[in-house]
Amino acid sequence: MPSGKRLNIWKKADGMSRADFSKLTVIALTLLWILTGCNTGNEEKWVDLNDVRPAETLVRPATFPADDLIFGFDRRLEIKEDVKMYLSFLRYLEGKTGYRFRLHITPKGGSIVDDLGKGIVDFAAIGTGSYLEAREKYGVQMLVRGLNAEGQSEYRSLIITRTDSQVHSLADLKGRSMAFGPPTSTQGHLIPRIMLAEVGIELKDLKAYDHTHSHAETANAVMSGRFDAGGIQDTLGQALAAKGLVRVIAVSRYYPSSGIAVNKDVPQDIKERVRQALLDFDPQGRDKPVLYRWDQTEMPLGFTTVRESDYEELTLWARRFGLLR
Amino acid sequence: MALSTYVVVGNALRGELEAKGLAASQYLAESLLNPLLDEEFLLVQRSLEDAKASLPDVEYAYVIGFDGRLVAHTFPNGFPAALIYANIIPMEQTTQVQVLLTERGIIRDIGFRVLSGLPAELHIGLNEARINASLKHTTGLILGLTLLATILGGTAAGILGEHLTRPLGDLARSALRLGQGHLDEKIPIRSKDEIGQLAADFNMMAANLQATIGELRQRNQELLALNAIANALSGPMELTVVLERALKATLEATGFAAGWILLFDESGKHHPPVCWHGLPEDTVLQESMESRPCLCHRAIQEQKPMVIELESSCPALGVPIGQGKRIMCHATVPLLAKGHALGVLNIAGHETTAFTAEILQLLGAIGGQLSIAIENARLWEELRRKEELRGQLLHKVIIAQEEERKRIGRELHDETSQALAALVVVLQAARAAISMDLKRCAEYIDEAKAAVTRTIQDLHAIIYDLRPSLLDDLGLLPALRWCAQNRLERRGIEVIWDVEGEEIRLPSEVETALFRIGQEAMTNIAKYAHADQVRIRVEFKPAYVTLQVSDDGVGFNVAQVMSQMANRNVNLSAPSDAAQEKVGAGLGLLGMEERASLLGGQFQIESTPGRGTTVTARIPIN
């Protein structure tokens, strides 16, 4: 190199110009940025884990709007299954009506009848027995009635025994033990009581009786031999009988099935819009994709209209049995 | 590299931790759902504690119920107040991860909505401490390995680089030398690889550059020479001087010592060299060059420069040209104009190899310039000569006008004036006799009348000589007949007419020109030819008209007369009678030729001493 000249690495040394070096640097940094995940992630927060308080004093503010419509339900299956079903059903109602709905879970030992009657919930999917009680106590109205798998808005109850039982008719039940569903259950309690009463058997004529939490529990109680007979919904009883697990000794008449009831204070326009949405509900067709196992419910084919007179007979029986306090 | 590895591995481990936390949260949330919905919070609490105990890295777990209250948590003494707000999952999301900086290290809070659509949340805090410890260990290991690899790689790269770049450095220095102009230096080729190929290419490029530069220099030399020649040829100098300067410039440009230029006349005959340079002042040599046929003609026939190896008969052979050398050969450059040889340029040499192809090419270009200069000089000379003749013609016209005035004056004085004077005497006599003798008086008056009539006839003759009205009134043939009658037949010369074609009136300028040509020819015959018979032929054609006047007189040498006129050998200021006659005849011939050429016609004169003369003029019509 001639004396008096300084080596300029930016210009000609090794043939790399300043622009080339800059490009190389940018490429290297970009590769590093890509290789390292392009991002540093969420913004970090400082939390003092030693600054503790009593847990009961710490409450998150509510994140739901106060004007949400509250929907309750009669427990029928495993609670999380019920919740998943009705949450998906509420997404349908929200899309159809434009209202926001929130699911209310009545605690174990709580009463959906009271929740609905006192306005804790605005709408509820309830059985006929619960409805009779709620109407009697709080003036609750039935909006629509459910359609079962056969497309009927009525259902029946069965009286079942073990297949090796000596009980062959309702009359044989005198002096025997019997399992019923929950006291508010129509198919598990009210209708079997009607069936017994129509042959002259009252509770006092039984050797023993008890209320289970569900039709399944009632069936288990009979099949295990803990009770001589049990009153359960027709669909489950027929399925068990077809498999040879139980024997059906009596079949009831048809009575109005479960439906969607509404608190009397809900504004009429909201009632009407929700009623129309329920009548438009198509769980086997158009609306099926948004639903979660809706066929497990007592209204797998949707809903139909309802009349108050449909419930007169059942109301009389319920009063007679002291179910309407 | 270590930094990248640290970041990449760290991110991967954290991602893995997050994924594991989300999977655990999902599983735990599903198992917590039923007890949570049934408000069996003790079950929830136990499930959280079991999860914290069984899952590594779990720092804490807690559940927020549907009403926003804490349902269960794994902290032993109360719950951290800020934690409940640290990671709030938006309603539209089911999970959210939040990085927390705590006194226990960095914790990733995995928030999981227990069931989509419900406000209950499960949170699991995963501590990164184990990851960071593992990461530090791994990073240290990678750094150590990287450092070792760098040292080893750098050493190897340095050795390899030195091995690879040395030939490149040598090549670069050689290329720099080439760039500085040392084209004769060859780059040594030490290998057969790409560098060797590059060196060979550089050498080839240098050779090509050298050749190109040589060509450019040669071209530049040629241009300089041509420029010098052009300068030498410029200027209003005589041809000989111009050629001398051009010859010197040529010798300087080509580096030769001697040369000469020969010019040919129109018949192709040699003349002594018009100029020479570097030759001894030996007129014998020059005359020999003129008289002896030379191989130079080969170059003229080939019409291109050639190198002539001299034969023993060539007078230039052995002529000394300085520095102890003698002429053994010479390059001959033909000087051509329109395929016609004007002369040759000869450049003397000692040996034929001195005349390279480039030298011959340059000499050819110089020859072209010299030819143009010679041709131009000759054309200028011709023009000058014609201008001079035109001046002489004008002088003749003026003289002829004066002669005509003199003749008219003389005729008026000798004849008309005398006749009028005699008329006055007769009239005085008639006046004197009128009172005495009327008969005598009448005779005087008749005599006076006859005198007046003759005078009028004489005046008519004078006027017709100036311009016969016949020419304007009747046309060319009557005017020529009148002229022949007055100029020839009066002198006893027989005139034979030969008219071809239908006589028509011609344009005035054509009739005038042919009349004057015929009048001049007849005047010359009357004055000089001593002819007995003259034949006048007039040919009328649609495109032209021809006048031919032939006599059987003494004739003359046309070339001699014309040459004398051209070379101005006739002294017009003091002419002898004979010379005056030659001048008059010569100028008359030139005047006739001039009249014909002015109208785009042709003029020809044929004469042989003792065999008469024929003058022919042909003038186009329109």
Side-chain angles (χ1 to χ4, degrees):
Chain A
M1 186 173 63
S3 60
K5 289 189 176 178
R6 292 167 55 192
L7 180 64
N8 186 346
I9 63 169
W10 297 107
K11 288 186 175 176
K12 293 192 175 176
D14 299 330
M16 179 184 288
S17 68
R18 186 191 297 267
D20 292 338
F21 188 82
S22 299
K23 287 176 184 173
L24 195 62
T25 304
V26 169
I27 291 170
L29 290 176
T30 305
L31 282 174
L32 182 62
W33 184 66
I34 292 171
L35 286 172
T36 54
C38 311
N39 205 331
T40 56
N42 296 331
E43 186 183 353
E44 296 170 344
K45 290 181 180 176
W46 168 255
V47 173
D48 184 359
L49 295 181
N50 293 326
D51 179 19
V52 296
R53 309 278 173 81
E56 59 272 17
T57 63
L58 299 173
V59 180
R60 280 252 195 99
T63 55
F64 290 112
D67 58 350
D68 282 358
L69 295 172
I70 313 300
F71 191 94
F73 59 91
D74 248 347
R75 292 184 180 223
R76 291 189 63 255
L77 305 169
E78 187 182 5
I79 182 63
K80 69 180 180 184
E81 289 294 298
D82 282 336
V83 168
K84 290 177 182 177
M85 277 188 332
Y86 286 115
L87 280 175
S88 68
F89 176 63
L90 295 188
R91 297 293 83 78
Y92 162 76
L93 282 181
E94 286 180 341
K96 191 71 178 178
T97 63
Y99 302 134
R100 282 183 56 86
F101 286 86
R102 180 154 40 101
L103 191 66
H104 174 78
I105 300 154
T106 301
K108 257 184 181 177
S111 168
I112 185 64
V113 172
D114 291 337
D115 287 348
L116 182 59
K118 293 176 182 175
I120 296 173
V121 298
D122 299 305
F123 298 90
I126 58 175
T128 305
S130 296
Y131 168 64
L132 295 177
E133 183 182 353
R135 187 176 72 160
E136 187 77 10
K137 289 173 68 176
Y138 300 110
V140 168
Q141 299 171 335
M142 189 66 98
L143 275 181
V144 291
R145 226 160 70 188
L147 294 171
N148 63 17
E150 287 76 36
Q152 297 173 331
S153 60
E154 296 172 321
Y155 50 33
R156 299 179 299 182
S157 292
L158 305 179
I159 303 298
I160 60 169
T161 64
R162 284 167 56 106
T163 54
D164 57 352
S165 173
Q166 297 303 310
V167 176
H168 295 285
S169 66
L170 290 175
D172 294 341
L173 285 173
K174 246 180 196 176
R176 302 278 186 172
S177 61
M178 189 161 174
F180 295 99
T184 57
S185 171
T186 306
Q187 284 178 291
H189 180 224
L190 178 58
I191 297 176
R193 286 283 301 273
I194 295 172
M195 294 171 73
L196 291 176
E198 286 179 337
V199 295
I201 298 175
E202 300 294 338
L203 288 180
K204 63 183 174 55
D205 298 323
L206 298 174
K207 182 180 74 178
Y209 72 93
D210 199 0
H211 292 284
T212 66
H213 291 105
S214 66
H215 297 298
E217 278 191 23
T218 301
N220 277 330
V222 173
M223 287 188 292
S224 66
R226 285 188 286 123
F227 291 90
D228 294 320
I232 63 172
Q233 65 179 182
D234 54 350
T235 52
L236 178 59
Q238 286 168 344
L240 294 173
K243 293 178 181 175
L245 297 175
V246 298
R247 186 172 70 216
V248 177
I249 62 168
V251 179
S252 74
R253 296 193 305 277
Y254 282 100
Y255 292 96
S257 61
S258 304
I260 306 295
V262 60
N263 178 275
K264 64 182 175 59
D265 296 327
V266 173
Q268 188 61 30
D269 58 334
I270 296 178
K271 284 183 193 173
E272 288 306 317
R273 184 177 292 190
V274 173
R275 185 204 310 274
Q276 191 57 50
L278 292 170
L279 292 175
D280 291 341
F281 186 47
D282 181 13
Q284 297 296 320
R286 182 186 63 239
D287 302 320
K288 188 173 183 178
V290 302
L291 300 174
Y292 175 81
R293 302 181 69 176
W294 187 252
D295 55 344
Q296 294 184 112
T297 66
E298 291 179 347
M299 47 209 81
L301 294 188
F303 301 96
T304 186
T305 55
V306 66
R307 292 177 303 178
E308 287 298 318
S309 59
D310 296 340
Y311 298 94
E312 288 305 319
E313 181 187 350
L314 287 175
T315 302
L316 292 174
W317 281 111
R319 282 180 182 150
R320 175 182 168 184
F321 298 146
L323 298 177
L324 301 180
R325 294 182 297 273
Chain B
M1 181 59 113
L3 176 61
S4 300
T5 305
Y6 178 84
V7 174
V8 169
V9 173
N11 284 344
L13 289 174
R14 290 184 193 97
E16 188 65 27
L17 185 66
E18 272 188 26
K20 191 172 71 176
L22 283 171
S25 298
Q26 187 173 8
Y27 176 79
L28 189 57
E30 187 67 21
S31 66
L32 289 177
L33 191 52
N34 272 337
L36 191 60
L37 291 168
D38 284 335
E39 298 184 346
E40 293 173 348
F41 297 144
L42 185 58
L43 272 178
V44 176
Q45 178 68 33
R46 285 178 180 168
S47 296
L48 293 187
E49 289 173 351
D50 289 345
K52 180 176 183 301
S54 61
L55 295 173
D57 305 321
V58 173
E59 185 68 32
Y60 61 79
Y62 66 93
V63 171
I64 296 176
F66 304 113
D67 55 357
R69 294 178 182 278
L70 269 170
V71 168
H73 64 85
T74 59
F75 290 96
N77 302 310
F79 191 83
L83 187 58
I84 195 169
Y85 302 109
N87 187 15
I88 300 174
I89 306 170
M91 274 309 294
E92 65 274 10
Q93 293 183 15
T94 56
T95 63
Q96 178 164 278
V97 178
Q98 176 63 53
V99 179
L100 304 178
L101 303 177
T102 72
E103 61 276 14
R104 301 179 197 175
I106 298 174
I107 293 176
R108 290 184 173 263
D109 186 286
I110 312 293
F112 195 90
R113 194 170 295 286
V114 176
L115 189 61
S116 178
L118 291 179
E121 296 176 8
L122 166 66
H123 288 258
I124 294 178
L126 299 175
N127 199 319
E128 292 187 3
R130 197 169 57 89
I131 291 177
N132 290 335
S134 174
L135 203 56
K136 281 181 183 173
H137 175 72
T138 306
T139 305
L141 188 62
I142 290 172
L143 279 175
L145 290 174
T146 304
L147 185 61
L148 182 61
T150 303
I151 293 171
L152 292 176
T155 305
I159 295 171
L160 187 61
E162 176 64 18
H163 176 71
L164 291 175
T165 58
R166 181 180 295 166
L168 281 174
D170 293 343
L171 184 62
R173 281 187 287 278
S174 298
L176 184 62
R177 293 279 296 166
L178 285 181
Q180 290 169 346
H182 303 283
L183 298 176
D184 51 341
E185 294 181 6
K186 296 295 180 189
I187 301 173
I189 299 173
R190 297 195 176 93
S191 62
K192 294 182 178 179
D193 56 8
E194 288 81 357
I195 295 174
Q197 182 62 42
L198 195 57
D201 291 343
F202 269 123
N203 286 338
M204 188 168 67
M205 181 181 73
N208 290 337
L209 281 174
Q210 256 186 318
T212 304
I213 290 172
E215 289 176 8
L216 288 174
R217 282 177 178 158
Q218 174 68 25
R219 196 69 186 155
N220 193 40
Q221 187 181 8
E222 290 177 8
L223 291 173
L224 287 173
L226 290 174
N227 188 45
I229 301 299
N231 287 333
L233 294 176
S234 64
M237 290 176 288
E238 286 188 11
L239 180 60
T240 306
V241 178
V242 166
L243 293 180
E244 281 178 357
R245 289 177 57 178
L247 178 60
K248 284 183 182 177
T250 302
L251 293 174
E252 287 173 3
T254 55
F256 288 91
W260 62 95
I261 295 175
L262 295 175
L263 292 184
F264 309 149
D265 59 20
E266 291 182 353
S267 62
K269 185 181 177 184
H270 281 206
H271 289 279
V274 292
C275 60
W276 60 91
H277 189 79
L279 296 176
E281 294 291 337
D282 186 348
T283 56
V284 175
L285 170 65
Q286 295 156 22
E287 289 175 359
S288 297
M289 286 179 176
E290 173 196 9
S291 60
R292 303 290 289 273
C294 182
L295 293 174
C296 304
H297 281 288
R298 282 175 51 199
I300 294 170
Q301 290 167 358
E302 297 284 338
Q303 296 197 345
K304 67 179 183 180
M306 298 182 69
V307 180
I308 307 296
E309 198 165 1
L310 300 184
E311 297 174 339
S312 58
S313 59
C314 182
L317 181 65
V319 172
I321 51 176
Q323 297 181 341
K325 294 181 179 178
R326 295 179 177 277
I327 298 176
M328 303 303 292
C329 57
H330 64 70
T332 297
V333 182
L335 306 178
L336 305 168
K338 300 174 184 175
H340 178 66
L342 304 174
V344 292
L345 162 66
N346 284 346
I347 302 299
H350 180 65
E351 53 190 4
T352 56
T353 54
F355 297 101
T356 62
E358 291 77 16
I359 291 289
L360 289 178
Q361 185 179 356
L362 174 59
L363 290 174
I366 293 171
Q369 284 201 337
L370 287 177
S371 299
I372 293 170
I374 295 168
E375 180 72 3
N376 286 342
R378 289 188 169 178
L379 290 173
W380 278 109
E381 180 62 21
E382 177 71 13
L383 184 63
R384 186 195 60 74
R385 187 181 64 79
K386 284 198 171 184
E387 283 299 317
E388 189 174 88
L389 283 177
R390 193 180 295 276
Q392 291 176 6
L393 183 63
L394 181 61
H395 182 71
K396 166 68 170 51
V397 169
I398 294 170
I399 291 174
Q401 284 179 341
E402 288 303 318
E403 287 296 323
E404 192 71 4
R405 288 193 181 105
K406 284 180 184 176
R407 184 183 64 79
I408 293 169
R410 188 167 54 246
E411 288 186 359
L412 288 175
H413 176 267
D414 293 348
E415 297 185 13
T416 307
S417 178
Q418 294 300 323
L420 290 176
L423 181 60
V424 170
V425 172
V426 172
L427 289 175
Q428 286 175 342
R431 184 174 178 280
I434 196 165
S435 58
M436 297 183 300
D437 186 355
L438 286 175
K439 184 179 177 183
R440 185 65 181 163
C441 179
E443 289 175 357
Y444 282 135
I445 290 173
D446 290 340
E447 189 177 345
K449 181 183 174 185
V452 168
T453 301
R454 284 196 302 274
T455 301
I456 289 171
Q457 288 175 343
D458 290 342
L459 285 174
H460 279 174
I462 292 170
I463 291 168
Y464 264 75
D465 257 359
L466 288 175
R467 179 179 177 86
S469 60
L470 285 172
L471 184 61
D472 297 327
D473 298 337
L474 301 177
L476 177 63
L477 274 181
L480 286 173
R481 290 182 193 279
W482 173 83
C483 183
Q485 187 179 5
N486 282 319
R487 299 288 167 91
L488 301 177
E489 290 176 347
R490 276 190 181 179
R491 289 175 170 81
I493 299 172
E494 181 187 8
V495 177
I496 300 172
W497 290 91
D498 182 9
V499 178
E500 293 183 23
E502 184 182 356
E503 181 186 359
I504 55 172
R505 288 305 301 266
L506 302 169
S508 173
E509 63 274 16
V510 175
E511 287 184 336
T512 302
L514 288 174
F515 174 75
R516 291 301 181 194
I517 290 171
Q519 186 182 38
E520 183 68 26
M522 287 185 249
T523 301
N524 286 341
I525 290 170
K527 285 184 177 179
Y528 314 118
H530 306 292
D532 296 325
Q533 187 183 70
V534 171
R535 180 180 295 274
I536 300 175
R537 191 171 74 88
V538 181
E539 183 183 18
F540 291 95
K541 291 287 186 183
Y544 59 86
V545 60
T546 305
L547 169 65
Q548 188 176 66
V549 180
S550 305
D551 68 72
D552 58 353
V554 297
F556 65 99
N557 188 332
V558 178
Q560 184 181 6
V561 171
M562 298 304 286
S563 176
Q564 286 172 345
M565 287 299 299
N567 293 328
R568 303 172 63 186
N569 288 336
V570 179
N571 187 348
L572 293 176
S573 59
S576 63
D577 289 345
Q580 187 70 32
E581 285 184 1
K582 286 184 178 178
V583 167
L587 290 177
L589 296 177
L590 288 176
M592 287 190 279
E593 184 180 7
E594 191 72 12
R595 284 184 184 277
S597 65
L598 281 175
L599 293 175
Q602 298 171 345
F603 177 80
Q604 187 177 22
I605 179 165
E606 298 170 280
S607 183
T608 303
R611 292 189 178 181
T613 301
T614 298
V615 172
T616 306
R618 174 174 291 177
I619 296 179
I621 302 172
N622 296 326

